[in-house]
Amino acid sequence: MSELPELQQDAITTVREFFAALEMGAVDEALDLVDPDIVWKNTSLPDVRGAGRVGGLLRGLNRPSFGFRADMNHIAAESNGSPAAEGSTVLTERIDYLRAGPVEIAFWVCGTFEIVDGRITLWHDHFSWENFLRGTAVGLWRAMRR
């Protein structure tokens, strides 16, 4: 694993702070919460390995013409024999919003986060391409109506 000091907060707080940083465009702060060897998986897309590559993608989306936010519908944690708040696996069910110029795409995402020593080692998002395409069509329609 890494030689970074262990973060002293529960796993749910780590994931919530990660998303808050992403929403604010604070990529460096979000990356402070990930392990250097993080793996980011998205349904049917290639895995992204390492904090440098994950950071590169997140920074690429962190421009004035792009935006990200998420509405967390449910969040829960578990660990072998530990209370939920101290869990090492966090599950999220949320609506993600990606903005490109005037178009905002909303789509459902279920995410799994593995936390080791207080840092995210795995970020695995599951989503439906059909739902994503529907969200794209709605976003385009709304942008054209403005």
Side-chain angles (χ1 to χ4, degrees):
M1 210 36 59
S2 70
E3 298 197 18
L4 296 171
E6 180 178 342
L7 295 177
Q8 299 297 314
Q9 61 188 16
D10 66 62
I12 288 176
T13 299
T14 298
V15 172
R16 286 191 185 279
E17 287 183 1
F18 179 73
F19 275 93
L22 292 178
E23 289 183 5
M24 292 185 305
V27 174
D28 288 337
E29 286 80 356
L31 292 174
D32 285 343
L33 299 170
V34 305
D35 187 83
D37 297 322
I38 186 174
V39 176
W40 180 15
K41 297 175 173 265
N42 276 287
T43 301
S44 72
L45 297 173
D47 294 353
V48 181
R49 296 179 180 278
R53 289 187 174 146
V54 169
L57 285 172
L58 294 176
R59 283 186 188 91
L61 296 172
N62 191 24
R63 294 181 277 176
S65 59
F66 292 105
F68 169 80
R69 66 185 175 93
D71 289 340
M72 200 69 65
N73 296 326
H74 298 95
I75 188 166
E78 70 176 14
S79 185
N80 296 332
S82 296
E86 298 172 11
S88 60
T89 301
V90 177
L91 302 177
T92 63
E93 190 258 327
R94 59 188 201 268
I95 304 295
D96 281 3
Y97 300 86
L98 298 177
R99 184 183 51 78
V103 178
E104 185 174 68
I105 302 167
F107 59 103
W108 174 89
V109 179
C110 179
T112 303
F113 295 82
E114 294 289 336
I115 314 294
V116 175
D117 295 333
R119 297 196 188 311
I120 300 167
T121 60
L122 173 69
W123 172 13
H124 190 177
D125 280 344
H126 311 272
F127 63 94
S128 157
W129 279 106
E130 179 182 341
N131 187 260
F132 179 82
L133 293 173
R134 184 178 303 121
T136 301
V138 169
L140 288 168
W141 174 254
R142 289 182 178 156
M144 289 187 317
R145 290 187 58 196
R146 285 187 205 136

